[in-house]
């Protein structure tokens, strides 16, 4: 089997990047920020669950929902499937590749052995595109990898059928009946509605702007969860990873969303969104400062309660700004 | 953030960030990772010291091998239990030195699959790096000066691994 001619580009985020790449392959010109924005991807949450070794933050909606929301709001149909039987999943994947159909799949990032081992963690919500097969290896286009690469059949199977929370269960997807041109206006409005609702009105104290406030309040309690200073330093470093490096486009997805607003402003002639995108870029700069501050105190092991409270204050200031920002954004679509 | 402010020359870990470009648009910029380029050695040292202290405890008989790999892979007991499909109560027992001998071989195979290691590694500590390029935690050790690399290859039998010492090329 040969490789499908596929234009590989790195993307900020794996799910929005994979959806964008699949649509671009089928001839629909759409950008990653547009996919992210229409799906209402921007979010914030602060979680401490038995499934996590440490309190954790996330800045995007639930994995899988970028694809689901985008498809629903634009009417572009994606064929999706999950499997119980790995052999059947593999057979159907091979058959689609035979038909020159690139396929998006969900995997546990840990088994993607084309990345160095220090970089790989168990997270079941990584998305990539399979574009071919050569002997016992699959050819993949992964948005986080600079070039098209390959992965052994066994590693891919392990990744697709890893257990645990949000297990992929062999999930795969590909678009069907992709139009060459599409009016995204309705999707943009719905996407903005979702984003403002998620950030302002979900009645849970750990989600949206309330989640940012909780993060600000609770960070000074982190030492009690750590077994020693080394682990605390490691977890503080991870704030930077979660907000900057782990597929966010920087500033905890805020830059990506600002880019969406700017594109939408031009598309729908809404200058107020252009102004709001500038404000969101500034908010993103603040998140970047938080990431850098966290890295610095992590490195110097200056992790006493006063320093963590200082970090909490920086985070709290973001909550105030985001509250005003999303309220103003909501008014533009009221 | 302006494009010029985020550009970092670090080829080993590339990321895409969105930034304001000179023509006032916001677009993707492929650049090196700030955190990896600035704190990679710090990260290696943190993980290296954790790895060393866990292996010491393992050799003293204070922790079980399942506990060691679970901690290294940053998994919680609940997440591990879900992944290996073994009841939580039983997994908790397997984390202790006292009850580790009660682990069934098939259960060990499931643990090994989650940790992505050969089953044999639950019963041995390999002092040399397994892979010069990727294996972390030993990079600052004098042991790396040894001209030996231990490579391990899977066989068709999931319970057997082929361990192969090799002389490093200069």
């Amino acid at each position: 089997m040969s490789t499908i001619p596929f234009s590989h580009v790195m993307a900020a985020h794996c799910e929005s990047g994979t959806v964008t790449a699949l649509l671009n392959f089928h001839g629909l010109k759409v950008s990653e920020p547009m996919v992210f924005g229409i799906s209402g991807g921007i979010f914030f949450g602060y979680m401490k669950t038995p499934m996590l070794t440490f309190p954790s933050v996330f800045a995007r909606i639930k994995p899988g929902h970028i694809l689901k929301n985008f498809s629903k709001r634009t009417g572009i149909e994606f064929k999706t499937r999950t499997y119980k039987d790995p052999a059947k999943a593999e057979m159907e994947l091979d058959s689609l590749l035979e038909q020159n159909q690139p396929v998006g799949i969900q995997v546990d990032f840990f088994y993607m052995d084309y990345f160095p081992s220090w970089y790989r963690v168990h997270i079941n919500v990584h998305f990539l595109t399979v574009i071919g097969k050569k002997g016992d290896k699959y050819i993949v286009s992964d948005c986080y990898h600079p070039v098209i690469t390959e992965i052994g059949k066994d590693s891919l199977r392990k990744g697709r059928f890893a257990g645990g929370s949000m297990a992929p269960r062999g999930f795969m997807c590909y678009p069907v009946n992709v139009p060459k041109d599409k009016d995204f206006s309705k999707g943009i409005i719905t996407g903005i509605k979702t984003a403002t609702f998620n950030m302002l009105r979900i009645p849970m104290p750990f989600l949206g702007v309330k989640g940012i406030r909780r993060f600000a309040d609770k960070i000074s309690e982190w030492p009690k969860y750590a077994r020693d200073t080394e682990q605390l330093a490691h977890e503080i470093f991870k704030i930077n990873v979660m907000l900057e490096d782990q597929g966010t486009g920087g500033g905890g997805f805020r830059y990506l969303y600002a880019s969406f607003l700017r594109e939408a402003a031009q598309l729908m002639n809404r200058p107020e969104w252009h102004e709001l995108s500038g404000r969101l870029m500034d908010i993103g700069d603040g998140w970047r400062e938080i990431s850098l501050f966290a890295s610095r105190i992590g490195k110097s092991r200056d992790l006493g309660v006063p320093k963590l409270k200082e970090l909490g204050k920086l985070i709290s200031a973001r909550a105030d700004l985001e509250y005003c920002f999303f309220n103003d954004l909501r008014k533009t679509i009221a | 953030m302006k494009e010029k402010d985020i550009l970092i020359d670090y080829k080993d870990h590339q990321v895409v960030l969105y930034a304001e470009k000179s023509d006032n648009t916001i677009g993707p910029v492929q650049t090196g990772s700030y955190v990896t380029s600035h704190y990679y050695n710090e990260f290696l040292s943190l993980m290296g010291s954790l790895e060393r202290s866990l292996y010491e405890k393992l050799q003293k008989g204070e922790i079980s091998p399942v506990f060691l790999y679970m901690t290294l892979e940053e998994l919680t007991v609940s997440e591990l239990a879900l992944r290996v499909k073994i009841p939580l109560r039983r997994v908790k027992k397997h984390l202790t030195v006292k009850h580790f001998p009660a682990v069934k071989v098939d259960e060990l195979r499931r643990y090994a699959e989650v940790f992505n290691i050969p089953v044999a590694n639950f019963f041995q500590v390999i002092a040399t790096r397994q892979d010069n390029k990727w294996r972390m935690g030993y990079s600052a050790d004098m042991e790396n000066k040894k001209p030996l690399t231990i490579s391990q290859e899977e066989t068709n039998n999931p319970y057997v691994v082929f361990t192969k010492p090799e002389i490093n090329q200069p």
Side-chain angles (χ1 to χ4, degrees):
Chain A
M1 193 185 294
S2 59
T3 308
I4 301 164
F6 192 83
S7 165
H8 173 79
V9 280
M10 284 187 80
H13 179 63
C14 62
E15 190 180 343
S16 51
T18 300
V19 171
T20 308
L22 285 170
L23 293 172
N24 288 343
F25 173 82
H26 287 280
L28 177 66
K29 276 199 165 45
V30 60
S31 69
E32 186 189 5
M34 191 51 75
V35 170
F36 184 76
I38 288 175
S39 68
I42 196 165
F43 196 35
F44 198 91
Y46 176 85
M47 301 278 265
K48 169 84 188 92
T49 77
M51 310 312 278
L52 300 165
T53 51
F54 219 80
S56 193
V57 293
F58 52 90
R60 47 150 299 173
I61 54 168
K62 197 176 169 191
H65 281 226
I66 290 181
L67 168 69
K68 202 172 154 185
N69 292 352
F70 180 81
S71 171
K72 202 166 119 187
R73 285 165 196 175
T74 57
I76 298 171
E77 193 190 337
F78 274 77
K79 179 100 180 150
T80 60
R81 270 213 73 171
T82 53
Y83 298 87
K84 279 186 181 165
D85 179 8
K88 192 176 176 196
E90 208 167 284
M91 210 173 69
E92 291 198 9
L93 174 64
D94 290 356
S95 147
L96 285 164
L97 294 173
E98 294 272 10
Q99 297 162 39
N100 276 341
Q101 173 67 63
V103 183
I105 58 166
Q106 185 186 340
V107 293
D108 180 354
F109 190 64
F110 182 73
Y111 298 101
M112 300 303 104
D113 50 22
Y114 43 84
F115 288 111
S117 66
W118 58 264
Y119 184 54
R120 287 186 269 136
V121 289
H122 276 294
I123 176 136
N124 274 334
V125 291
H126 182 58
F127 288 81
L128 55 91
T129 312
V130 185
I131 58 167
K133 194 177 182 187
K134 204 163 59 183
D136 265 358
K137 294 194 181 244
Y138 282 97
I139 318 294
V140 298
S141 164
D142 188 319
C143 300
Y144 294 167
H145 201 268
V147 290
I148 285 174
T149 185
E150 51 183 40
I151 182 170
K153 197 171 89 172
D154 288 345
S155 297
L156 195 69
R157 183 190 52 79
K158 282 181 193 170
R160 292 183 76 194
F161 286 91
S165 46
M166 295 186 277
R169 292 178 295 138
F171 177 88
M172 69 175 195
C173 66
Y174 56 91
V176 283
N177 302 325
V178 184
K180 293 287 170 223
D181 200 17
K182 184 86 196 166
D183 178 14
F184 290 125
S185 312
K186 262 174 81 178
I188 289 170
I189 299 287
T190 319
I192 292 176
K193 273 185 188 162
T194 306
T196 54
F197 177 83
N198 286 347
M199 287 304 291
L200 300 171
R201 306 179 97 171
I202 293 185
M204 303 269 189
F206 52 89
L207 298 177
V209 172
K210 289 192 275 279
I212 306 177
R213 293 201 202 287
R214 175 164 283 205
F215 180 32
D217 290 344
K218 296 281 179 186
I219 190 127
S220 56
E221 292 175 14
W222 277 22
K224 78 176 181 200
Y225 299 117
R227 59 178 172 266
D228 52 28
T229 316
E230 296 295 282
Q231 194 198 5
L232 182 59
H234 179 58
E235 296 298 334
I236 293 283
F237 269 125
K238 275 187 2 196
I239 293 176
N240 191 321
V241 177
M242 298 297 281
L243 293 175
E244 296 295 322
D245 269 21
Q246 208 172 53
T248 72
F253 289 101
R254 271 54 189 163
Y255 296 146
L256 190 61
Y257 200 75
S259 177
F260 154 71
L261 282 179
R262 200 158 290 192
E263 199 180 326
Q266 204 172 12
L267 211 69
M268 293 176 68
N269 193 24
R270 299 285 296 261
E272 67 273 31
W273 290 346
H274 190 281
E275 185 266 321
L276 282 166
S277 82
R279 270 172 66 188
L280 193 56
M281 285 302 278
D282 293 340
I283 291 173
D285 288 350
W287 279 114
R288 198 167 164 84
E289 275 166 32
I290 287 166
S291 302
L292 300 181
F293 183 88
S295 302
R296 276 197 299 273
I297 62 171
K299 185 168 184 171
S300 61
R301 305 288 190 278
D302 187 4
L303 298 165
V305 173
K307 214 67 180 173
L308 293 177
K309 283 200 166 152
E310 201 182 321
L311 181 58
K313 271 186 191 160
L314 292 174
I315 298 166
S316 184
R318 288 307 98 195
D320 296 340
L321 288 170
E322 291 213 1
Y323 181 77
C324 295
F325 170 83
F326 283 103
N327 258 316
D328 291 345
L329 183 60
R330 192 163 64 95
K331 283 177 199 156
T332 66
I333 48 159
Chain B
M1 189 65 66
K2 303 275 184 219
E3 183 178 13
K4 62 177 172 49
D5 297 328
I6 58 164
L7 288 174
I8 288 169
D9 185 20
Y10 190 75
K11 298 228 165 8
D12 289 347
H13 184 187
Q14 293 278 297
V15 293
V16 168
L17 300 176
Y18 275 73
E20 222 161 358
K21 304 200 171 191
S22 50
D23 59 359
N24 206 25
T25 59
I26 305 170
V29 180
Q30 188 176 328
T31 177
S33 153
Y34 175 86
V35 75
T36 313
S37 64
H38 284 73
Y39 300 107
Y40 176 67
N41 289 335
E42 191 65 27
F43 174 71
L44 283 190
S45 138
L46 273 172
M47 294 310 286
S49 72
L50 173 66
E51 202 166 319
R52 274 190 296 276
S53 84
L54 286 173
Y55 273 110
E56 272 170 28
K57 283 183 184 166
L58 179 74
Q59 288 173 80
K60 285 180 190 161
E62 291 169 10
I63 57 171
S64 89
V66 178
F67 181 87
L68 178 137
Y69 286 107
M70 183 189 81
T71 312
L72 283 179
E73 299 307 341
E74 297 189 51
L75 291 168
T76 62
V77 191
S78 313
E79 178 70 17
L80 179 59
L82 259 183
R83 282 175 180 269
V84 290
K85 297 185 180 78
I86 297 173
L88 180 64
R89 219 173 60 161
R90 214 169 146 69
V91 173
K92 280 183 180 168
K93 282 190 167 184
H94 295 162
L95 300 178
T96 64
V97 177
K98 188 179 166 194
H99 291 101
F100 179 70
V103 185
K104 293 175 185 160
V105 178
D106 180 57
E107 289 171 337
L108 268 190
R109 185 192 53 77
R110 291 195 222 172
Y111 282 121
E113 183 148 325
V114 170
F115 300 136
N116 211 18
I117 55 165
V119 174
N121 278 16
F122 286 114
F123 304 103
Q124 62 180 343
V125 176
I126 301 172
T128 342
R129 275 195 303 186
Q130 291 173 38
D131 183 318
N132 280 332
K133 196 173 175 190
W134 304 111
R135 184 77 177 151
M136 59 170 298
Y138 293 96
S139 60
D141 285 359
M142 287 306 287
E143 273 175 304
N144 288 323
K145 305 279 190 268
K146 290 178 186 172
L148 253 190
T149 299
I150 306 285
S151 69
Q152 291 184 298
E153 286 167 22
E154 283 182 14
T155 65
N156 287 333
N157 184 334
Y159 303 106
V160 176
V161 63
F162 182 53
T163 303
K164 196 167 57 171
E166 287 173 305
I167 303 291
N168 285 337
Q169 295 302 314

